[in-house]
Amino acid sequence: MAPPETAGYQFNHTMIRVKDAKESIAFYTDVIGMEVISEYHNNDAKFSLYFLAFDHSDGKDTKEEKDSGRMRREGMLTSALGCPIPISRGHLAISVDDIQAACERFERLGVRFQKRLTDGKMKNIAFILDPDGYWIEVVPKNFS
């Protein structure tokens, strides 16, 4: 059981470093279905942050509402451009309604796979690669 002091904690975001913001944003918006909800550019330190998330408001939230609420969201992806990219062994994960259909779509879009549904013993998960080589685990929503 978690300590009672942490009862209000929630996951806020994951930050990854990217080589090419335009390429990575296209991947996460066009392939994964996230949207850029906010950007921050620090010209003095020569870096930019791009905040991406899934829109669960059915398009009702305005850009201003998304931007002002970005640090209250759960499960947001932050991409940093201008920082060195370390070797990473972790991964991101997304849940999909129909994993077979999602993987077929990724194939059509030319997305690179680290593990297809047909690979290995676990036939109900796949791993795709983003433009920087980060692994993205794809699991069905009813995965247990």
Side-chain angles (χ1 to χ4, degrees), residues 61-121:
D61 287 350
T62 66
K63 180 165 179 44
E64 293 76 22
E65 289 169 324
K66 292 174 186 175
D67 183 40
S68 68
R70 76 170 183 249
M71 296 310 283
R72 293 186 302 274
R73 294 182 72 123
E74 187 168 9
M76 187 171 54
L77 175 67
T78 306
S79 298
L81 177 66
C83 303
I85 297 177
I87 296 173
S88 173
R89 297 287 180 236
H91 68 272
L92 308 172
I94 60 169
S95 300
V96 297
D97 291 323
D98 182 336
I99 193 164
Q100 186 69 41
C103 288
E104 289 170 3
R105 179 175 171 270
F106 297 146
E107 285 280 357
R108 284 193 310 274
L109 293 172
V111 174
R112 296 177 299 151
F113 278 78
Q114 180 66 34
K115 180 208 172 293
R116 287 179 167 74
L117 290 173
T118 55
D119 298 339
K121 293 181 180 179

Side-chain angles (χ1 to χ4, degrees), residues 39-49 81:
E39 297 180 19
Y40 171 77
H41 304 281
N42 186 320
N43 296 326
D44 293 334
K46 296 183 173 72
F47 74 88
S48 294
L49 298 175
L81 177 66

Side-chain angles (χ1 to χ4, degrees), residues 11 18 30-31 57 62 64 75 94 98 104 117 123 126 136 140:
F11 180 76
V18 300
D30 299 341
V31 175
S57 74
T62 66
E64 293 76 22
I94 60 169
D98 182 336
E104 289 170 3
L117 290 173
K123 305 295 185 193
I136 302 171

Side-chain angles (χ1 to χ4, degrees), residues 121-138:
K121 293 181 180 179
M122 296 184 74
K123 305 295 185 193
N124 58 345
I125 66 169
F127 282 88
I128 59 175
L129 300 171
D130 84 352
D132 291 294
Y134 285 102
W135 293 23
I136 302 171
E137 183 176 7
V138 183

Side-chain angles (χ1 to χ4, degrees), residues 23-42:
E23 182 180 28
S24 291
I25 288 170
F27 177 84
Y28 282 98
T29 57
D30 299 341
V31 175
I32 302 298
M34 298 177 104
E35 67 175 295
V36 177
I37 61 167
S38 184
E39 297 180 19
Y40 171 77
H41 304 281
N42 186 320

